[in-house]
Amino acid sequence: MASNTRMVSIFLIFMVFLCTKALSQCEDETNNPCNNKSKALNLKIIGIATILITSIIGVCLPLITRSVPALSPDRSLFVIVKAFASGIILATAFMHVLPDSFDMLRSSCLADNPWHKFPFTGFVAMLSAIFTLMVDSMVTSMYTKKNNAIVAEGSEVVAGDHENAITSGGGMHFHGHHHGQKGPIGQQLLRYRVVAMVLELGIVVHSIVIGLGLGASNDVCTIKPLVAALCFHQMFEGMGLGGCILQAEYKMAKKTVMVFFFSVTTPFGIALGIALSKTYKENSPSALITVGLLNASSAGLLIYMALVDLLAADFMGPKLQGSIKLQIKAYAAVLLGAGGMSLMSKWA
């Protein structure tokens, strides 16, 4: 009887210990030997600068190399590099953003009901992918209708000029109508523009979330590898976005705006995390739910964009369909990009 009582006591003490440990993990981890506020701040400032530079280099590289014949969008090398960058984006969603969301929304710091009773991460990611499809489809339809209206208007003007030339007995002289950004554009170019806008939206959302988590952390042991991984991530993800911006053939002003927003979102997130570090606790229920849901929605968007608008569009396109050899090279590039980004999940 005494031995049974002793076993029950030991079991109760063990359960109390586990509960105390779980609760302490939901609070600010002041006993962590890697926590050093001053060193962490220095590393975060260095991280802002390095991530900003690598982001600018990555997204601008496809744009500034347009004058290089081997890297023009109609060449095979461009297709291979874009496939590599698409693999990076796909792995970012599956290996970084989605697992983080699962961890946050299944955290022991959240109540069992409803967060542990339903797979909110998968549900939100699925809804996000469907919503992205809706936006992708509707925006393309709107652009197409607008473009068709411009084409019809241009045809009427040309027909009117033709009739006037005949009735006036002139020598069939026509006024030229050159359409720029506001004129009719091809269906493929419309798709490129929609893809570039939607992809940037998804990247901007998860970049701010990543930066916020880094900026709010004082764990030196976590910040060092995370900054290195984010530099790699931003460089090649930027190359993928830059390739889409290049194919969209925007004017310089719009290109500049898109490059600017991509480049500054992660550094802005880090700065925001630093500013909110006193009030933002990454293990608090409100932070876990908010960031977890944002990560899930961002993951669904990126998975859709990487698979449908980037990889499937290219691999089912005439260039890759016309060459098995080029397809194999592009698949190797996708696996290399996805594998490299998956490896980064070991440190970040």
Side-chain angles (χ1 to χ4, degrees):
M1 186 69 178
S3 61
N4 290 338
T5 305
R6 193 180 304 114
M7 290 293 292
V8 171
S9 301
I10 293 172
F11 176 75
L12 290 174
I13 292 171
F14 179 69
M15 292 300 295
V16 169
F17 170 76
L18 289 179
C19 292
T20 305
K21 186 177 180 181
L23 288 172
S24 66
Q25 288 176 348
C26 299
E27 299 171 357
D28 194 18
E29 297 179 0
T30 53
N31 295 325
N32 188 349
C34 289
N35 276 356
N36 189 316
K37 192 172 183 179
S38 60
K39 286 185 178 180
L41 181 60
N42 292 333
L43 287 173
K44 284 183 275 190
I45 292 172
I46 294 171
I48 289 175
T50 54
I51 291 171
L52 178 63
I53 292 169
T54 52
S55 298
I56 293 172
I57 293 172
V59 73
C60 288
L61 202 58
L63 303 178
I64 63 178
T65 55
R66 184 170 189 173
S67 56
V68 180
L71 293 173
S72 61
D74 58 339
R75 294 299 181 93
S76 298
L77 183 58
F78 179 85
V79 175
I80 293 171
V81 172
K82 188 181 175 186
F84 175 81
S86 300
I88 294 280
I89 295 171
L90 187 63
T92 296
F94 275 115
M95 299 301 296
H96 294 261
V97 185
L98 207 58
D100 284 349
S101 179
F102 273 112
D103 290 343
M104 290 174 180
L105 298 182
R106 289 293 180 93
S107 172
S108 58
C109 300
L110 296 180
D112 286 346
N113 194 15
W115 303 104
H116 293 188
K117 304 293 185 183
F118 186 78
F120 279 98
T121 293
F123 180 69
V124 173
M126 177 186 68
L127 290 181
S128 176
I130 295 172
F131 179 75
T132 306
L133 171 63
M134 291 169 58
V135 172
D136 197 7
S137 174
M138 290 179 180
V139 171
T140 302
S141 297
M142 290 169 59
Y143 269 94
T144 302
K145 287 181 181 179
K146 183 179 178 181
N147 186 62
N148 291 339
I150 294 172
V151 172
E153 182 182 349
S155 299
E156 290 176 4
V157 172
V158 172
D161 286 348
H162 181 267
E163 184 179 349
N164 290 335
I166 294 174
T167 55
S168 63
M172 298 297 290
H173 175 74
F174 299 102
H175 299 286
H177 296 274
H178 301 284
H179 298 279
Q181 283 286 93
K182 294 183 180 179
I185 54 179
Q187 185 68 26
Q188 187 60 49
L189 184 56
L190 285 173
R191 288 293 306 134
Y192 285 144
R193 291 184 177 181
V194 173
V195 167
M197 288 188 294
V198 178
L199 179 61
E200 171 132 348
L201 175 64
I203 290 174
V204 163
V205 170
H206 93 264
S207 292
I208 292 177
V209 170
I210 291 171
L212 181 64
L214 175 60
S217 176
N218 291 319
D219 191 336
V220 179
C221 301
T222 301
I223 293 173
K224 286 180 179 179
L226 187 56
V227 168
L230 284 177
C231 287
F232 176 88
H233 168 269
Q234 292 295 107
M235 169 75 79
F236 291 103
E237 191 174 57
M239 287 175 64
L241 177 62
C244 293
I245 295 173
L246 176 62
Q247 289 179 316
E249 297 183 10
Y250 286 121
K251 282 185 175 179
M252 182 56 67
K254 188 165 285 188
K255 286 180 183 178
T256 303
V257 170
M258 296 185 76
V259 166
F260 172 79
F261 274 104
F262 169 77
S263 302
V264 303
T265 45
T266 302
F268 171 76
I270 296 172
L272 183 64
I274 294 172
L276 298 176
S277 58
K278 289 185 178 180
T279 57
Y280 176 84
K281 305 298 180 186
E282 60 183 5
N283 286 328
S284 67
S286 58
L288 288 169
I289 293 170
T290 303
V291 177
L293 292 176
L294 283 174
N295 275 335
S297 60
S298 180
L301 191 154
L302 291 175
I303 289 168
Y304 170 86
M305 293 301 299
L307 288 175
V308 178
D309 282 339
L310 296 179
L311 293 174
D314 284 344
F315 279 96
M316 296 302 174
K319 189 171 185 64
L320 281 171
Q321 284 295 307
S323 173
I324 296 294
K325 185 178 179 181
L326 183 57
Q327 280 191 50
I328 293 171
K329 291 179 180 177
Y331 278 124
V334 172
L335 292 173
L336 185 62
M341 200 63 210
S342 299
L343 188 62
M344 288 291 110
S345 64
K346 181 178 180 182
W347 297 282

